[in-house]
Amino acid sequence: MTTAMEAPQADRSRMAVSETDVAVEIIGMNKWFADFHVLRDINLKVMNGERIVIAGPSGSGKSTLIRCINRLEEHQDGQIIVDGVELTNDLKRIDEVRREVGMVFQHFNLFPHLTILQNLTLAPIWVRGTPKAEAEESAMKYLERVKIPEQANKYPGQLSGGQQQRVAIARSLCMNPKIMLFDEPTSALDPEMIKEVLDVMVKLAEDGMTMICVTHEMGFARQVANRVIFMDQGQIIEQNEPEEFFSNPQHERTKLFLSQIL
Ligand code: ADP
Ligand code: MG
């Protein structure tokens, strides 16, 4: 009797582990904008703790793909499963998923009329119901993590682009996401500010965050990614660990892309 009961329990715990190890799974996914077929048969599985870099020419569908992962865009065909929840039209579940997934955009989208601290505490207080003092304490912790605690009471317009982007990252982290999506977070920045933002992202990766980053920073990809995914014309053309991806690209389109950016 004891043995019979133990066996299925052991199986269940194994299942639980393997299920929670998958952060994002995309199966046979297609998306259209009206009759434009923007994403074609996307299959992608991202495990917890992975650092994925998505590269590819402009217009290849990189932004659309990561926007689908937190349902800023709807897909029409196939499945997207985020932290065990399939993205459908069920708004309650979309909210659940959005709470787990932080997103940082090219443009920082901070509220200009709120201080940095208020930008960071807005969602924790109003969406999560965190008491103000607790939200502020946590916000200061994240501002220290992105190395700008002294800016807490300033307004976004008083900060440099690099500082604003670090605030945007801290703002996402305040919601305790399990997964962070980045869409070209450094491409609107002056060159001297790119490193300070990448440094924060490197640290986040070292701390074990699951990250999916669209970026053209190939140095970052080499340093941080465990997998680089190359997209062209709405498809995943190839993927590999960074060393192989850069030194031994398989497809002509990947070779052409790399020859243009490296
Ligand atoms: P990337 O991020 O790789 O540059 P995007 O995902 O932004 O590519 O865009 C992929 C393609 O989809 C492009 O041809 C773009 O013009 C088109 N597209 C993006 N957003 C929309 C939209 N809301 N409506 C129609 N077409 C769009
Ligand atoms: Mg884009």
Side-chain angles (χ1 to χ4, degrees), residues 56-64 66-67 106 183-184 187 214 216:
S58 180
S60 56
K62 307 179 298 295
S63 294
T64 306
I66 66 165
R67 289 167 63 85
Q106 182 174 351
D183 192 0
E184 301 203 34
S187 58
V214 176
H216 293 141

Side-chain angles (χ1 to χ4, degrees), residues 33-126:
F33 284 122
D35 55 5
F36 174 54
H37 196 172
V38 60
L39 294 174
R40 295 165 181 263
D41 196 31
I42 301 288
N43 291 286
L44 177 65
K45 191 170 183 174
V46 178
M47 307 302 283
N48 282 324
E50 276 203 279
R51 289 100 36 219
I52 308 283
V53 160
I54 302 179
S58 180
S60 56
K62 307 179 298 295
S63 294
T64 306
L65 174 60
I66 66 165
R67 289 167 63 85
C68 282
I69 295 174
N70 68 351
R71 198 94 174 160
L72 290 175
E73 298 284 355
E74 269 180 39
H75 61 288
Q76 282 82 39
D77 181 32
Q79 286 178 291
I80 303 179
I81 301 150
V82 179
D83 195 32
V85 177
E86 178 169 0
L87 302 188
T88 60
N89 289 325
D90 182 345
L91 290 176
K92 208 169 140 231
R93 308 214 81 187
I94 291 169
D95 267 359
E96 272 172 42
V97 164
R98 289 218 177 114
R99 255 176 276 171
E100 309 294 342
V101 182
M103 180 142 181
V104 174
F105 303 88
Q106 182 174 351
H107 299 286
F108 333 118
N109 307 326
L110 299 174
F111 293 110
H113 59 293
L114 298 181
T115 67
I116 300 308
L117 192 62
Q118 288 166 339
N119 265 279
L120 265 62
T121 56
L122 191 67
I125 292 172
W126 294 102

Side-chain angles (χ1 to χ4, degrees), residues 120-121 124 128 135 138-140 142 169-177:
L120 265 62
T121 56
R128 281 258 160 99
S138 161
M140 287 310 300
Y142 286 113
I169 295 172
R171 181 178 55 176
S172 275
L173 294 176
C174 281
M175 294 295 276
N176 264 318

Side-chain angles (χ1 to χ4, degrees), residues 193-207:
M193 292 169 191
I194 291 176
K195 186 172 179 301
E196 66 188 47
V197 171
L198 291 179
D199 284 347
V200 167
M201 292 170 65
V202 169
K203 183 73 176 46
L204 204 53
E206 285 170 356
D207 292 345

